[in-house]
Amino acid sequence: MSKPIVATTSLAGCFGCHMSLLDIDERILKLVELVEFNKSPVNDIKTFTKQCDVGIIEGGCCNSENIHVLKDFRKNCKILISLGECAIMGGLPAMRNNNAPVSECLEEAYLNCPSVQANDERIIPNDDELPMILDKVYPCHEIVKIDYFLPGCAPRADLIWEALVALIEGREMDLPYEVVKFD
Amino acid sequence: MSNTIKITIDGVAVETTRGKTIFEAARENGIFIPTLCNVDNVKPKGSCRICSVYISGRLMTACTTQVEDGMEIENDTAKLNDMRKAIVELLFVEGNHFCPGCERSGSCELQALGYRFLMMVPRFSFLFQTRDIEATNPKLMKDNNRCIMCKRCIRGIKDEDGKSFFAFARRGHKVVINLDRKQAAKLTDDLARQAMEICPVGALILKGKGFDVPIGRRKYDTKPIGSDVEAKGGNC
Ligand code: SF4
Ligand code: SF4
Ligand code: FES
């Protein structure tokens, strides 16, 4: 049997979940034996080159590009996993969902924030090339179907490892209490 | 009439005393029934329904229902636990629970029940409601994003005349917990701490508390909620 193919991406996330994936330490050598990586920031493959078995999504959707990438993952992966709080419920970026309109967020970031120092023309970036910011931050499963959810901020390395191995071996996960956490 | 009576919980015969609630009888026999709105030394209210058990096919709240001789109680069943999990999930989507940034994370009862029931994602859609934080009181911060309306603060934190410090304000889905302005002046450091402790979640936080206990040493980091009850077995 050929190795299962895994792709990963970070949408509106901080790369903490990817760091946690690397946190499986020397098991990473075993992982490379178990699976083949396709599109992922880990190997810097930028576009899908073949149909994948598992897509791992870090981060929720805060702009139009996130939606585009997420839909692309759904098209190219048999199984999608929401990894971490941001993918599952928007996470810290979704704090703006609580009554902070996009205009206010942009004004705060580019005009009013104390750390804004070199924007004399008071420009809020609006180039056509830039992704549009969404009205709010969306959990991934509100955009496409997600098959599995692994919570945590960041998810514990042992959770990611156990989930991947169980998925590859086609068995139920066996999770110690300590590894399923929401923080 | 003897005060000792016999009941069964999930088919296991246990002894208890008349006048106790099902929740108390279970706990003294080392059986965990999850609770949220119920708290020791405060009259039970029966509002959150997470302690629901089946008695002769009827759903009853274990925190308010008293034991009766010969009662047959269903507690730890797949059906009941899924209903309880659904209540936890409802509370998660109804409020704005950003656990990674919450001072109560790791020692929060709602979160701990999420862990116990292995909630990987709520089955309902997140509502992302508009809620605010009230931080004018010098001692206590109130975060309405996290309040689960259990009324434990209203029922448990009172002055020497029995007058509550907290009350519900507004109505329906807009209801929020209010710290009474006049009463607030009488809120001692001790009462403020008690208020934080009686709240099952991170809705009432002492100013300056911050993240004072390191990850790994918080109440529910390594031991599931209820495991203390189960570890003690009978007659604790
Ligand atoms: S109150 Fe509990 S469930 Fe809510 S954010 Fe804080 S730790 Fe999480
Ligand atoms: S503030 Fe805390 S104790 Fe009071 S009703 Fe809300 S959740 Fe319950
Ligand atoms: S704990 Fe019994 S109804 Fe809330």
Side-chain angles (χ1 to χ4, degrees):
Chain A
M1 197 183 85
S2 58
K3 288 192 211 174
I5 306 165
V6 176
T8 79
T9 188
S10 176
L11 307 176
C14 68
F15 267 92
C17 298
H18 273 82
M19 288 298 140
S20 207
L21 172 66
L22 299 180
D23 203 27
I24 59 176
D25 299 330
E26 73 279 0
R27 285 172 291 184
I28 198 119
L29 299 172
K30 229 166 144 193
L31 186 65
V32 189
E33 270 170 35
L34 282 174
V35 303
E36 174 190 329
F37 275 89
N38 200 264
K39 177 180 159 72
S40 169
V42 175
N43 53 17
D44 215 21
I45 297 182
K46 305 243 192 271
T47 47
F48 283 104
T49 56
K50 54 175 120 168
Q51 200 58 27
C52 297
D53 297 290
V54 184
I56 299 175
I57 315 288
E58 164 189 328
C61 292
C62 81
N63 63 32
S64 53
E65 203 236 346
N66 297 152
I67 304 254
H68 173 79
V69 174
L70 183 57
K71 287 188 168 165
D72 201 29
F73 262 72
R74 184 68 278 181
K75 231 183 279 162
N76 286 284
C77 305
K78 279 189 212 140
I79 292 167
L80 281 193
I81 303 176
S82 267
L83 180 66
E85 291 304 306
C86 298
I88 291 174
M89 54 83 67
L92 297 195
M95 283 187 129
R96 79 165 157 97
N97 293 4
N98 190 349
N99 208 19
V102 178
S103 56
E104 225 175 82
C105 295
L106 290 172
E107 278 162 25
E108 181 64 23
Y110 291 103
L111 306 179
N112 304 330
C113 172
S115 63
V116 173
Q117 280 171 358
N119 189 6
D120 295 336
E121 286 135 275
R122 297 179 63 77
I123 292 171
I124 292 178
N126 63 350
D127 194 285
D128 284 347
E129 291 293 312
L130 293 173
M132 294 290 282
I133 305 281
L134 303 176
D135 61 333
K136 58 175 196 167
V137 179
Y138 293 85
C140 292
H141 62 280
E142 291 193 9
I143 307 295
V144 299
K145 180 179 188 300
I146 299 286
D147 303 284
Y148 296 104
F149 300 85
L150 300 175
C153 181
R156 307 297 181 269
D158 288 339
L159 173 66
I160 305 175
W161 172 254
E162 171 61 16
L164 276 179
V165 175
L167 193 59
I168 293 164
E169 292 177 354
R171 58 167 172 84
E172 291 275 312
M173 289 191 284
D174 180 18
L175 298 173
Y177 173 77
E178 289 85 344
V179 307
V180 179
K181 292 280 135 67
F182 307 153
D183 65 358
Chain B
M1 194 167 70
S2 152
N3 269 336
T4 306
I5 57 172
K6 286 204 176 79
I7 59 172
T8 67
I9 302 178
D10 294 325
V12 179
V14 296
E15 275 189 3
T16 182
T17 12
R18 218 175 281 281
K20 292 226 157 106
T21 65
I22 294 173
F23 164 73
E24 290 165 334
R27 183 167 64 177
E28 69 182 19
N29 283 287
I31 295 166
F32 174 66
I33 299 178
T35 53
L36 265 179
C37 68
N38 193 45
V39 63
D40 282 343
N41 307 318
V42 175
K43 192 168 167 246
K45 177 96 183 129
S47 61
C48 76
R49 321 309 281 183
I50 200 136
C51 66
S52 294
V53 291
Y54 273 115
I55 303 163
S56 312
R58 277 192 69 186
L59 273 179
M60 308 284 278
T61 45
C63 67
T64 55
T65 311
Q66 293 194 357
V67 285
E68 277 170 40
D69 201 19
M71 218 177 217
E72 291 174 9
I73 299 154
E74 272 177 62
N75 168 47
D76 191 11
T77 66
K79 185 175 175 191
L80 276 169
N81 285 334
D82 188 58
M83 277 166 50
R84 292 161 175 170
K85 189 179 182 186
I87 293 175
V88 172
E89 291 171 358
L90 274 171
L91 290 169
F92 263 91
V93 302
E94 193 270 344
N96 298 314
H97 293 275
F98 295 96
C99 296
C102 177
E103 298 87 341
R104 194 62 191 264
S105 192
S107 57
C108 163
E109 291 177 34
L110 176 66
Q111 187 192 57
L113 287 169
Y115 295 161
R116 176 142 182 149
F117 295 127
L118 217 62
M119 178 186 96
M120 303 304 250
V121 64
R123 70 195 76 175
F124 313 105
S125 324
F126 290 97
L127 295 178
F128 293 119
Q129 306 213 63
T130 301
R131 299 266 170 80
D132 33 273
I133 296 172
E134 165 69 64
T136 48
N137 185 276
K139 297 194 173 92
L140 208 55
M141 178 190 91
K142 189 167 56 77
D143 190 337
N144 293 314
N145 294 287
R146 305 169 183 163
C147 175
I148 58 167
M149 312 291 169
C150 65
K151 289 194 176 181
R152 271 161 60 158
C153 55
I154 303 180
R155 294 181 289 140
I157 307 299
K158 297 185 175 173
D159 64 11
E160 60 278 10
D161 301 327
K163 193 164 183 283
S164 292
F165 282 85
F166 299 90
F168 271 172
R170 299 189 225 149
R171 281 169 172 269
H173 70 283
K174 293 205 171 123
V175 77
V176 285
I177 287 287
N178 234 0
L179 175 54
D180 186 274
R181 277 269 166 78
K182 278 202 204 110
Q183 285 288 84
K186 287 198 266 169
L187 192 76
T188 60
D189 287 348
D190 204 34
L191 276 168
R193 172 163 294 282
Q194 283 174 35
M196 175 173 78
E197 283 164 4
I198 208 168
C199 179
V201 291
L204 297 173
I205 297 284
L206 271 190
K207 291 239 177 119
K209 177 197 179 308
F211 297 86
D212 53 351
V213 185
I215 293 180
R217 275 196 253 146
R218 301 167 306 179
K219 195 165 178 195
Y220 303 116
D221 276 339
T222 52
K223 281 185 261 81
I225 191 168
S227 58
D228 51 341
V229 173
E230 290 159 336
K232 277 186 198 151
N235 294 323
C236 57

